[in-house]
Amino acid sequence: MSGGGSAALAIAAKDATETWRDGRFRWAAGLLFVLLVAAIAGGVQYQRDVARQHADAQRAERDAWLDKGDMNPHAAAHYGAFVFKPVQPLSAIEPGLDPFLGVFVFLEAHKQQLARHRPIEDASPTRRLGLLTPATAALVLLPLLVISLTFSTFAGERDQGTLRPLLALGVSRGSLLAGKALGALLPLVLIITPATLVAAVLLYLSAPADPGAPIGARAFGLLAVYVVHAMIWTGLGLAISARARSQATALVVLLALWFANAFVMPPVAMAIAKTITPSPSAIEFAAAIEDEKDTWPNWDQRVDEVMQRFLDGEFESTFTPANVEVVALVESEAAETALYDRHFQSLFDRYERQGRTYEHASIVAPTVAARMLSMALAGTDAAHDRVFAAAAATYRTQMLTTLNSELSQSGRLNTFDYVRGRDLWEQVPPFDYDVPAAGWALGERWWSIAVLVAWLAGVSAAAAWSVASMRLE
Amino acid sequence: MVGFLARHEWKLLTASAVMRLVLIVFFLVIGAATLLGTARAARERQTYDVFQQRAAQQRAQPLSLRADVVANEKGWLAVVPPAPLAALAVGQSDVYPSYLRITARNLDALVTGDQIEHPLAVASGHLDLAFVVLFLYPLLIFAVSFDLTATERDRGTLRMVLAQPVSLREVVAGKMIARVVLLAIPIAVIPVVIGSVWFATAEFVVWTVAVLVYGLIWHGLALIVNARGWSAPANALVLAGVWLMFAIVGPATINLLIAVRYPMPSRVEAAVQARAATQDATLQGSRQLGQFLQDHPTSANVGRDGMRQFALLQARRDQQVADRLQRVEAAFDAQLERQQRLAGWLSVLSPTMVMQDVLLDVAGTSANRFEHFRAAAEAFQHEWQQYFEPRVLDAATLTPGDIAAAPVLAYSPEPATAILMRTALPIAGMLIVGLLLLLSGFKVYERYSL
């Protein structure tokens, strides 16, 4: 065992040294490192700027809400409240879906809206070609370096005729594989370690004084996902290098797999998901809500109907006719909230099903699974967005309930003359959103975790089998 | 002579098993992209038709004849018509507004209905023909031309060919022509075969020319790398790197540079500014309106005079708020335009980014087509407001005749010449770069060592 182990280490040391001495590798690795650090620095700066904007805006909005002067509580509900989406610290590493999601929601009486102003709408179309982020560098560019390190591992030695002499020295195939794998992973460690340190220092320096939630576990999870993903590609590279007819074939096959994983599978998986679970276009979604509202009684009819119930003695005796309008208001508000909730839930349910189908497709594309996990850990995926949307909707209900119950409890004859001030506005607490725990995020993405683990096990087995059965010349 | 060499090369290329596999994959991907795009465009067309019909029906049988309901609550639903080449490039059509609701108010005169889709779908992009052209086409150009002469030289057959009365320049030219044609044909022809609706439209001609010109750039790059005289595997590796830099890493890095150096103006800050700018007008107006009237005018207890007064107060308040809002929005738009101009200059560095702009413009899924539609909608809004505002202020009940006489939006899309004018410069630029690359490729080939 120790003999095999030392042989493996010797092979690893030799390979890693050769790789390191190779000018082309140093260029490629150097470039990747520079890109990675630029992406981290750019991401941290951008994230810090946007986080500050959102925090400032939320404070200004709160002040505006409190200082809006005296008015009727229902007028205050129409004045409404802006809720800005808090920016997650790890979006500096993985912005995920943030550029494709609205940055704020306007909460008001009678209506609910989807979050508005997705940054992608304002960006020039070329932004759709992709943004260099640390996550992209780790999940798309790093595998290329892995491919360049592994494609010639066995195929190259075979092409040069050095494979047979190497095994003739008494090195077992198992030690050979272990040595080659270590030899490929060592240079990666030399890139990943300093890049992680840079990211950790920059994230620490840019962290707000009062962090909303601890990010240690999530950050560690991100690193683990990127490392496991790189290991999967290492195993794939070794397995294919051992099987391929020549190193050129190995390179072409690996590059094709890389391209399919990073660029073809995501849109194809989404096209499949949308075919299985269609989702409405904007106009269909809006029309469905409007059609349902059109069948409702109008305001005058609502008031008449409540008045009739009042005359029938349905309400307590303290109930004055003016309160009839408040009852109508509260009832219509409840019906509207229920209507919007139903349509929004149905839309989000469809999106969630589309997301699951998309995630299931990762069974043939580990990069898709790694990306899903990466976004989940950074808190920038669709699941986190849904939690935020739910929090905003709950806050809206809370705000309206506070204001409406004030109206119905006022005990005044003419309810809509009733004016309140700052003391009531203060009863509506500031919007507070707690990011779910890392464990919840991982639980949502159990399929992706399973896929990554299965792929790692699969490529390890495939590499072992390929090396055990590989031709020597 | 070059023609003969090209035909010979064509036979060799089409006889190779590997090449056949590459071409079959290419055909399949182009076919799949075109089918997906055509299905998507058909769905868009269908939605458009359904809502056009629906709007016409609602005008014929309105739910209410109250002027403010017809003019404001229902308003005019202006659905953005699908572009003729929408099947070729999804572009920004998955995020831009797909319809506008036009009202006779000063405030909320044009309410945009931003297209909704799973954010993951927007983030993943779409497998459309634009994707194939931008990424796969260059990759395949490199795949068929990484070994123009290297293997023949290493085996010594190139020397034998050149013993015939042909020059190396002619041999290389023949090889290049065969490869340019081989890849250009499927990418230009398959979309026509599968989605024959837009064959021979002016837009499609511009599209095809742009694709061919874009291809020249990549053929030129391949030629230069081949001319350096490295081995075939070395060429393959270098070309893979070139593709990665120009098509993937370059645009991504430029986008990062734009995001950090020229960040878009913040919508969040604009929202806060708009709130602050309109606060006084909103509050003052609301007080004037009376707290209940503001939100729930019941015709039963205020009477028609009350309704008139209410409408007037509301219109006055809306005007004041709209004026202030417009200042904030104009400032934001100016800032956004400045940012996009700067960003546009940076994207000249990548042929993929230039080409993406051109393709989306031609397909009608970039900002230009939508801006054109929006301008038409704004002009129509003025007509709509002019017609309905007096009736709303009068709290009038309309007759079916009034509704029939209301203005109608007749939108005619941008003429193809406008698109041609916009795309001529980038296409010409790409053509010049492509030709320069090809010329320098031949130039370098003069020093090719056999």
Side-chain angles (χ1 to χ4, degrees), chain B residues 20-350:
Chain B
R20 275 193 198 154
L21 188 70
V22 167
L23 284 177
I24 287 172
V25 171
F26 195 35
F27 282 15
L28 286 178
V29 176
I30 296 176
T34 313
L35 281 177
L36 283 174
T38 319
R40 192 187 167 92
R43 240 186 347 267
E44 270 173 30
R45 163 70 56 188
Q46 196 192 353
T47 311
Y48 174 74
D49 290 342
V50 165
F51 279 90
Q52 286 290 92
Q53 267 175 24
R54 205 178 119 105
Q57 276 167 10
Q58 280 185 359
R59 277 193 294 282
Q61 293 167 314
L63 277 172
S64 160
L65 287 173
R66 269 173 53 189
D68 66 322
V69 174
V70 173
N72 297 332
E73 268 180 43
K74 289 292 161 196
W76 178 282
L77 200 63
V79 189
V80 185
L85 291 192
L88 299 189
V90 174
Q92 293 272 74
S93 68
D94 53 0
V95 288
Y96 282 162
S98 63
Y99 70 94
L100 299 167
R101 184 188 293 287
I102 292 163
T103 72
R105 290 194 198 108
N106 290 309
L107 200 61
D108 298 333
L110 283 178
V111 183
T112 53
D114 294 339
Q115 188 55 282
I116 53 170
E117 197 155 337
H118 196 305
L120 202 50
V122 183
S124 304
H126 303 268
L127 186 68
D128 53 10
L129 203 64
F131 171 84
V132 177
V133 168
L134 289 172
F135 297 107
L136 203 54
Y137 183 42
L139 200 58
L140 286 179
I141 287 174
F142 285 176
V144 299
S145 32
F146 72 92
D147 188 13
L148 275 184
T149 49
T151 303
E152 285 188 60
R153 177 201 56 195
D154 293 348
R155 286 189 188 146
T157 48
L158 188 60
R159 202 182 278 276
M160 282 162 68
V161 171
L162 292 180
Q164 311 288 323
V166 288
S167 66
L168 180 61
R169 180 191 292 255
E170 285 173 318
V171 171
V172 173
K175 285 171 181 291
M176 288 295 291
I177 290 170
R179 284 167 168 79
V180 170
V181 175
L182 183 70
L183 289 184
I185 287 177
I187 207 155
V189 170
I190 293 179
V192 176
V193 174
I194 295 182
S196 52
V197 271
W198 13 263
F199 175 57
T201 60
E203 285 94 344
F204 190 70
V205 173
V206 179
W207 172 283
T208 311
V209 169
V211 170
L212 296 180
V213 166
Y214 180 65
L216 281 189
I217 292 180
W218 297 94
H219 281 292
L221 288 169
L223 186 65
I224 291 176
V225 170
N226 272 283
R228 305 287 304 189
W230 295 312
S231 68
N235 284 349
L237 217 56
V238 171
L239 285 174
V242 169
W243 176 82
L244 190 70
M245 288 316 294
F246 278 100
I248 308 288
V249 177
T253 312
I254 292 172
N255 278 331
L256 176 67
L257 197 61
I258 291 170
V260 175
R261 188 72 191 74
Y262 306 113
M264 290 180 289
S266 164
R267 283 283 182 192
V268 166
E269 281 175 358
V272 174
Q273 283 164 8
R275 185 81 143 173
T278 57
Q279 180 130 342
D280 290 351
T282 310
L283 295 181
Q284 198 188 343
S286 300
R287 269 193 286 276
Q288 281 176 350
L289 276 169
Q291 304 304 340
F292 170 49
L293 281 182
Q294 176 194 354
D295 309 308
H296 301 288
T298 59
S299 41
N301 58 15
V302 291
R304 186 156 174 204
D305 274 345
M307 295 289 282
R308 281 192 188 124
Q309 200 188 352
F310 172 78
L312 193 66
L313 282 170
Q314 191 175 40
R316 207 177 286 158
R317 181 199 63 167
D318 283 0
Q319 179 70 60
Q320 279 177 348
V321 175
D323 284 348
R324 285 159 205 226
L325 206 55
Q326 210 203 341
R327 281 200 284 276
V328 176
E329 277 170 4
F332 181 87
D333 288 346
Q335 214 182 338
L336 185 63
E337 205 189 308
R338 222 171 19 250
Q339 185 265 344
Q340 298 229 338
R341 229 187 1 257
L342 290 167
W345 277 113
L346 273 176
S347 52
V348 171
L349 293 172
S350 155

Side-chain angles (χ1 to χ4, degrees), chain A residues 44-62 82-88 103-104 117 119 122 206 208, chain B residues 259-273 332 335 339:
Chain A
V44 167
Q45 190 198 322
Y46 185 75
Q47 181 268 351
R48 196 180 42 202
D49 289 351
V50 177
R52 187 181 41 75
Q53 284 166 7
H54 285 220
D56 288 353
Q58 198 66 70
R59 264 195 303 278
E61 172 61 19
R62 181 67 187 168
F82 280 105
V83 164
F84 300 94
K85 198 171 171 190
V87 180
Q88 297 308 309
V103 289
F104 59 79
H117 292 306
D122 288 334
S206 78
Chain B
V260 175
R261 188 72 191 74
Y262 306 113
M264 290 180 289
S266 164
R267 283 283 182 192
V268 166
E269 281 175 358
V272 174
Q273 283 164 8
F332 181 87
Q335 214 182 338
Q339 185 265 344

Side-chain angles (χ1 to χ4, degrees), chain B residues 206 210 353-363 423 426-427 430:
Chain B
V206 179
M353 290 176 105
V354 174
M355 183 63 174
Q356 148 112 347
D357 245 357
V358 170
L359 288 185
L360 297 198
D361 203 355
V362 177
T423 51
I427 292 179
M430 286 195 293

